[in-house]
Amino acid sequence: MTISNLQLNSKEEYLSHYQQSVEHPEDFWAGVAEQFVWKKKWDKVLDYDWENARFEWFKGAQLNITENCLDRHLKNRAEQAAIVWEPNDPNAKNRILSYKELHQEVCRFSNVLRDQGIKKGDRICLYMPMIPELAIAQLASARVGAVHSIVFAGFSATAIASRIEDSKCKMLITVNEMYRGAKTINLKSICDEALKAAPSVEKVIVYEHTDAETNIEAGRDLLWKELVNDVSDHAEAESMDAEDLLFILYTSGSTGKPKGMVHHCGGYMIGATYTFLNVFQYKEGDIYWCTADIGWITGHSYIIYGPLAAGATTLMFEGVPTYPDAGRFWEIVEKYKVNQFYTAPTAIRALQKCSLSLVESKDLSSLKTLGTVGEPINEEAWQWYKKYVGHNQCPIVDTWWQTETGGIMISSLAGITDEKATYATLPLPGVQLAIMDQDGHEIKSQEAEGRLAIKFPWPHMARTIYGNHDRYKQVYFSAFEKMYFSGDGALRDKKGFYRITGRVDDVVIVSGHNLGTAPIEDAIDEHENVVETAIVGFPHEIKGNALHAFVILHDDVVASERLVQEIKELVSSTIGPIAKPDKIQFVSGLPKTRSGKIMRRILRKIASNDLSNLGDTSTLLNPEVVEDLINSKV
Ligand code: PRX
């Protein structure tokens, strides 16, 4: 495959491919699949059954995703950088792994895994920081046919234990210690604690990333650097059916324990690669950087599998955006002349709050595409990103997707299709969307607002929740007949562009009006003194529900009654008087999960004066903020 074989080059081409993907989805995806390396071609492109939520793509085909990500590039790209790694400490040495070197490292570690008894189908938990060894362990797991379950290295021992237990992982791979900004965190001791409650793990492999001493439990713990010494740098890639498991990734649900979303080898590979190439319009020789952590789906699909299968150079950053200062992202863009930059609105807003000189002092002229993902991006952040990072020269791709969808579903294609601030815009080829009303009927009019569903299967969709197919059926396929329900609200404008309005559990019905909280938050964020807003509903005697806004002000602004009135007026004039929050509370921070999502459950409890049981706040990035929220309650 050359990069351009899968890329759409014009709006017309997008439209015609989209049309074909709807009229003949199987032919369309088979055409995409032809560009990959298969050990054996498929018997059937698609088999599906909405009733039982069973979806199979390219059944009977045999492949190994690492042959697509590594081996096939050895002919033309052996010396090209596959992974460029920037360490946490800007003065420490970076690492650049060519495709040839990455292939060798992955083969060596594959041999280690096999030596330790890992076989096809075994589950391996990876709890590691953003270092090349994480990518190597992940790819080696895929090469030997094991199933990786990567747990973000910020989760607690309890969270790791429950994830290991849920999928009965046989092995755990970790490091002695990791860096996060100015701090070091002993991951091994967190693992030791977790393993007390996770007896399925037989072996632990520890990569010594720092000089800190490693606690070794004899008979269980092994050192990475010792194991890779005596192994060959050739390793056969296991033959996998397209429908064999590739990985499990846990995502939190609105209720209950985390869901182990399962992705399979064939369809996932095709989807991640096709969407990567088309959305970002990566070109030969470009340097692409996604700032996500590999512990999340964005890192799986758009740091590792998509870019590597496409033969791209992917940058991996160990640190945080604010260390040693809030100019670090821009420093890295300048240092490596990054061409495509993909981050989250939460990061943009945080950096927007800092001095402009941090961004203005860096040379960002290499940038060609800016991407955003993970939550609705507010207008102010979008405009700031466009102006100060992209110098009004770079298209912004606002990419809507989910852990469950495996790859980007709605987005503009950089420089090819039109963008619109705060809109994800159009579905990618192969994605058939529907907007559903309260009664479960599709709203067919061009302009529409409701619940976002998907009415035809796509290759990279998660196939099940590990060990709980009933829950998968119930969560995603019971809301609407013969459709996947995303859990998000969306509106469609007269051009057919989609805007995600937020989770539908964040929709509040006020006096019988359905109000998405995201557009109201957006409106408030437009105020020059406001950094970030979160809105939740609380019970109201007359209206049913009313809105409570938690608002973070810029550091130098003093809260006042006048500001409260200005904000209400702003909402009133942007959306309508109905959307005016009843309460506006100025706060120093919002409770966020480690992936940057606002934990609205806590805000709802505070807004409703229901402080008796705030639930588990231990997974918060900033648990200390909760007390401040309670104390500053209006
Ligand atoms: O609500 C949507 C929001 O993030 C949810 C998926 O979260 P997760 O599975 O953690 O995956 C995040 C990375 C793909 C969605 O249901 N979301 C994601 N992207 C966007 C978004 N909301 C608005 N705009 C987006 N671009």
Side-chain angles (χ1 to χ4, degrees):
M1 177 181 83
T2 63
I3 282 171
S4 55
N5 277 359
L6 279 179
Q7 272 174 347
L8 302 169
N9 296 308
S10 67
K11 207 182 287 181
E12 294 67 39
E13 223 179 338
Y14 160 76
L15 290 171
S16 73
H17 281 236
Y18 186 79
Q19 188 74 10
Q20 193 218 352
S21 78
V22 172
E23 286 167 7
H24 306 287
E26 297 186 29
D27 293 347
F28 170 79
W29 285 114
V32 174
E34 288 292 346
Q35 299 294 326
F36 293 80
V37 177
W38 301 92
K39 291 174 189 279
K40 173 184 169 282
K41 288 277 172 69
W42 46 91
D43 302 322
K44 197 164 180 210
V45 176
L46 169 65
D47 218 350
Y48 68 104
D49 163 15
W50 289 108
E51 201 64 36
N52 295 301
R54 299 269 174 210
F55 308 94
E56 290 181 327
W57 285 88
F58 305 105
K59 184 83 184 144
Q62 297 284 314
L63 78 154
N64 188 291
I65 195 168
T66 68
E67 289 188 333
N68 284 273
C69 291
L70 301 170
D71 302 57
R72 74 155 149 175
H73 300 314
L74 296 181
K75 191 159 157 249
N76 297 323
R77 307 181 182 281
E79 304 307 326
Q80 181 197 313
I83 294 179
V84 172
W85 179 72
E86 169 70 8
N88 176 66
D89 175 356
N91 299 314
K93 195 167 159 19
N94 67 353
R95 282 166 68 187
I96 297 179
L97 283 96
S98 66
Y99 270 98
K100 188 170 147 206
E101 288 163 336
L102 182 60
H103 177 261
Q104 280 176 353
E105 295 292 333
V106 169
C107 285
R108 295 171 80 79
F109 201 67
S110 298
N111 287 325
V112 167
L113 293 178
R114 284 183 171 138
D115 287 350
Q116 296 306 321
I118 294 295
K119 294 185 303 300
K120 180 173 174 174
D122 287 343
R123 274 83 55 212
I124 305 182
C125 178
L126 275 54
Y127 182 65
M128 299 172 82
M130 286 284 287
I131 55 173
E133 282 66 28
L134 169 55
I136 291 164
Q138 176 180 12
L139 290 162
S141 164
R143 193 161 182 93
V144 304
V147 179
H148 57 74
S149 165
I150 304 185
V151 176
F152 173 64
F155 275 118
S156 64
T158 321
I160 309 166
S162 73
R163 284 160 176 76
I164 290 178
E165 262 307 279
D166 185 70
S167 46
K168 299 276 179 283
C169 293
K170 211 168 144 182
M171 178 182 271
L172 171 62
I173 304 174
T174 189
V175 296
N176 56 341
E177 207 181 43
M178 72 177 276
Y179 301 109
R180 183 174 294 135
K183 285 191 292 196
T184 50
I185 301 159
N186 191 319
L187 289 199
K188 178 61 168 53
S189 63
I190 300 173
C191 288
D192 289 342
E193 182 63 30
L195 289 180
K196 290 181 192 157
S200 62
V201 170
E202 294 164 12
K203 299 250 166 75
V204 179
I205 298 182
V206 188
Y207 180 80
E208 294 186 294
H209 180 48
T210 72
D211 294 335
E213 203 162 316
T214 309
N215 173 45
I216 292 290
E217 189 155 315
R220 187 194 72 182
D221 301 351
L222 305 155
L223 292 177
W224 175 302
K225 289 178 190 169
E226 288 176 6
L227 295 171
V228 294
N229 267 341
D230 300 322
V231 290
S232 151
D233 52 16
H234 288 279
E236 251 339 272
E238 193 72 32
S239 241
M240 306 295 285
D241 191 284
E243 284 296 323
D244 278 336
L245 278 69
L246 174 63
F247 66 84
I248 303 168
L249 185 58
Y250 287 86
T251 178
S252 48
S254 38
T255 54
K257 64 173 188 170
K259 300 169 290 193
M261 303 313 306
V262 180
H263 282 282
H264 290 224
C265 297
Y268 172 79
M269 169 181 77
I270 292 164
T273 315
Y274 178 80
T275 52
F276 166 73
L277 282 171
N278 279 295
V279 169
F280 299 102
Q281 290 290 311
Y282 179 91
K283 301 289 180 224
E284 206 59 72
D286 282 351
I287 309 282
Y288 160 87
W289 181 22
C290 166
T291 71
D293 192 286
I294 294 176
W296 311 117
I297 191 70
T298 309
H300 281 62
S301 301
Y302 298 112
I303 296 179
I304 299 299
Y305 288 119
L308 293 179
T313 296
T314 177
L315 195 147
M316 193 175 167
F317 174 44
E318 182 185 19
V320 294
T322 48
Y323 179 78
D325 62 40
R328 188 71 193 277
F329 271 5
W330 320 127
E331 194 180 301
I332 296 173
V333 169
E334 181 181 73
K335 177 170 175 185
Y336 295 101
K337 301 194 171 31
V338 170
N339 303 108
Q340 290 85 17
F341 177 73
Y342 190 26
T343 196
T346 187
I348 300 169
R349 285 193 296 264
L351 298 175
Q352 179 193 354
K353 208 179 150 192
C354 305
S355 161
L356 254 187
S357 65
L358 289 168
V359 52
E360 283 180 333
S361 60
K362 300 295 181 315
D363 177 5
L364 307 182
S365 60
S366 57
L367 288 171
K368 298 197 279 194
T369 301
L370 301 178
T372 155
V373 62
E375 55 181 313
I377 181 163
N378 50 302
E379 175 90 28
E380 202 190 358
W382 195 97
Q383 297 295 356
W384 186 88
Y385 199 27
K386 182 91 185 164
K387 183 170 172 193
Y388 293 104
V389 182
H391 297 125
N392 292 321
Q393 304 288 317
C394 302
I396 294 183
V397 290
D398 179 355
T399 62
W400 176 82
W401 61 296
Q402 309 176 296
T403 304
E404 295 85 340
T405 69
I408 298 168
M409 302 297 274
I410 313 178
S411 173
S412 52
L413 312 182
I416 303 287
T417 59
D418 296 337
E419 66 186 19
K420 179 172 176 182
T422 76
Y423 280 71
T425 75
L426 297 173
L428 262 64
V431 177
Q432 299 188 33
L433 302 173
I435 296 217
M436 311 298 290
D437 70 15
Q438 299 278 15
D439 306 320
H441 299 121
E442 183 176 353
I443 310 175
K444 299 242 167 138
S445 56
Q446 180 78 324
E447 284 181 82
E449 179 159 11
R451 287 157 191 246
L452 184 64
I454 303 170
K455 54 185 179 179
F456 197 80
W458 63 101
H460 32 304
M461 66 197 294
R463 302 288 192 267
T464 193
I465 291 174
Y466 193 84
N468 198 343
H469 197 71
D470 280 347
R471 187 174 179 200
Y472 172 75
K473 253 168 69 175
Q474 201 273 327
V475 174
Y476 304 106
F477 301 95
S478 64
F480 311 119
E481 211 189 331
K482 298 191 173 170
M483 287 191 195
Y484 166 89
F485 175 43
S486 68
D488 282 340
L491 60 82
R492 186 167 55 215
D493 74 3
K494 45 182 182 299
K495 282 173 80 180
F497 283 8
Y498 288 82
R499 179 188 198 188
I500 308 305
T501 50
R503 300 292 304 178
V504 283
D505 21 31
D506 297 337
V507 167
V508 186
I509 302 180
V510 180
S511 302
H513 291 81
N514 230 347
L515 294 176
T517 48
I520 312 173
E521 291 164 358
D522 245 10
I524 298 179
D525 290 345
E526 282 297 293
H527 193 287
E528 59 181 4
N529 294 336
V530 171
V531 175
E532 190 173 6
T533 308
I535 291 181
V536 293
F538 69 95
H540 187 280
E541 233 177 54
I542 298 165
K543 303 179 182 179
N545 293 292
L547 300 176
H548 186 125
F550 295 85
V551 179
I552 307 178
L553 297 173
H554 279 287
D555 283 342
D556 53 348
V557 177
V558 182
S560 66
E561 185 51 37
R562 209 180 103 205
L563 208 46
V564 169
Q565 291 314 321
E566 278 177 19
I567 288 172
K568 287 190 178 176
E569 269 319 302
L570 188 59
V571 174
S572 193
S573 61
T574 326
I575 297 168
I578 182 72
K580 268 202 283 194
D582 274 33
K583 291 191 179 160
I584 292 179
Q585 178 179 352
F586 297 113
V587 295
S588 60
L590 293 167
K592 297 223 169 147
T593 64
R594 292 182 193 277
S595 59
K597 290 206 164 51
I598 297 169
M599 214 188 249
R600 287 168 195 275
R601 173 173 62 74
I602 292 176
L603 296 179
R604 277 191 212 103
K605 293 251 182 194
I606 293 171
S608 320
N609 262 330
D610 176 12
L611 305 179
S612 55
N613 176 19
L614 287 178
D616 182 14
T617 55
S618 65
T619 56
L620 284 178
L621 191 62
N622 50 354
E624 72 284 357
V625 90
V626 175
E627 193 151 313
D628 171 59
L629 290 172
I630 295 170
N631 292 338
S632 61
K633 173 103 176 49
V634 287

